[in-house]
Amino acid sequence: MSGSADGRAGRVHGAWELCALGPLEIRFDGVPLPIGGARQRAVLATLLLSPGRPVPVGPLIDNVWGGREPASALNTLQSYVSRLRAVLARPGDTGGSAPRLLGGPSGYVLSVHDEQLDYRCAERLLDAARAALAAGDPAAARASAQEALALWRGPALGELQNLPAFQWEAARLDEVRLGSEQLTAEADLALGRSEEAVARLWRLASGHPLWEQPQALLMRALYRTGRQADALALYQRTRRRLVDELGIEPGAELAGVHRAILRQDPLLGLV
């Protein structure tokens, strides 16, 4: 992970990295550590997504076994926790920054620095990108958004993303990736890189045809590259899908870009 070590960019704090933006990983000094099979990973994912907050035993068992836990579930859960604690007990960690897996009457809690969590770094970078773009610094916005995107190694939570217990969190983390993609395209438009913005927005808009904001941005980018007919055709396709699949007309932003293109509004040259 790149960036400054104090957490203002993408690098995690110290030697430890706990990674959810892709297959679940714990790394020490850049080396992935063995974290067991799917059920042990489900324990880790549950705690990793609630850092610093106690997770009761009941929800942990539900997440691991999906409501079909065996009679030995509690003992097995305790075994998973012990193994994860052993993973976090690295002889080479002299900095005292190791995440700690604690237990108590309220359940189990993962004590970890935000800077050691890749998804928290990505969220912070996206916030920084939005702030920079709002402040009129698209170059800084693009750099932060690109740094956030570099943290992804695949679908969030890897093979756990399809389990009912993790689908919502995986979708939420995916929104951070999509937001970073969109911010990069917006910054490209502001920097006059309209062709780059078109290429990125085509991928984003095609993958999410009912998400109006990237459709509106793509229409703007197409117009700026002299492809007015393509922009208008995109509007018509999007409108049909919104009406047919959701029963709604385009919102104010998408409809506004459409009207601006029809009257060739000079403001379309600005983001």
Side-chain angles (χ1 to χ4, degrees), residues 139 142 184-185 187-198 221 224-225:
R142 191 182 196 281
T184 300
D188 280 338
L189 280 175
L191 292 166
R193 300 173 177 173
S194 299
E195 292 290 353
E196 291 93 331
V198 166
R224 289 181 60 172
T225 55

Side-chain angles (χ1 to χ4, degrees), residues 46-124:
T46 302
L47 297 170
L48 186 151
L49 293 169
S50 300
R53 300 195 299 275
V55 179
V57 168
L60 270 170
I61 288 176
D62 287 343
N63 284 5
V64 173
W65 282 280
R68 295 191 294 271
E69 67 272 11
S72 60
L74 181 56
N75 288 336
T76 305
L77 174 63
Q78 292 170 343
S79 175
Y80 291 153
V81 169
S82 295
R83 293 173 193 170
L84 289 171
R85 282 179 175 150
V87 173
L88 297 173
R90 306 305 298 174
D93 180 26
T94 59
S97 63
R100 293 181 298 157
L101 210 170
L102 309 173
S106 300
Y108 293 101
V109 58
L110 181 65
S111 177
V112 59
H113 297 286
D114 268 4
E115 293 81 7
Q116 295 171 326
L117 298 166
D118 65 346
Y119 72 91
R120 287 287 175 86
C121 293
E123 291 168 345
R124 186 168 53 250

Side-chain angles (χ1 to χ4, degrees), residues 226-247:
R227 298 166 65 181
Q228 178 174 334
D230 288 339
L232 294 174
L234 173 62
Y235 175 80
Q236 294 301 332
R237 288 196 303 273
T238 303
R239 181 184 177 277
R240 281 196 301 271
R241 295 196 70 156
L242 289 169
V243 171
D244 292 346
E245 298 183 32
L246 300 181

Side-chain angles (χ1 to χ4, degrees), residues 138-226:
R142 191 182 196 281
S144 291
Q146 284 287 284
E147 190 170 359
L149 289 171
L151 297 176
W152 260 264
R153 297 165 292 109
L157 302 179
E159 74 278 8
L160 298 178
Q161 66 171 313
N162 293 320
L163 297 180
F166 301 105
Q167 286 175 347
W168 185 88
E169 282 287 356
R172 183 186 69 82
L173 292 176
D174 194 47
E175 288 180 0
V176 178
R177 180 181 61 82
L178 296 176
S180 300
E181 291 276 11
Q182 181 173 304
L183 245 296
T184 300
E186 289 185 71
D188 280 338
L189 280 175
L191 292 166
R193 300 173 177 173
S194 299
E195 292 290 353
E196 291 93 331
V198 166
R200 186 176 297 274
L201 287 166
W202 265 125
R203 295 192 297 271
L204 191 58
S206 298
H208 301 82
L210 298 177
W211 185 14
E212 293 189 43
Q213 196 167 24
Q215 312 297 330
L217 284 169
L218 178 54
M219 287 171 60
R220 184 190 295 273
L222 288 168
Y223 181 83
R224 289 181 60 172
T225 55

Side-chain angles (χ1 to χ4, degrees), residues 16-20 25-26 44 48 99 110 112 116-118:
W16 291 93
E17 302 171 64
L18 280 72
C19 305
E25 283 189 353
I26 298 176
L44 175 61
L48 186 151
L110 181 65
V112 59
Q116 295 171 326
L117 298 166
D118 65 346

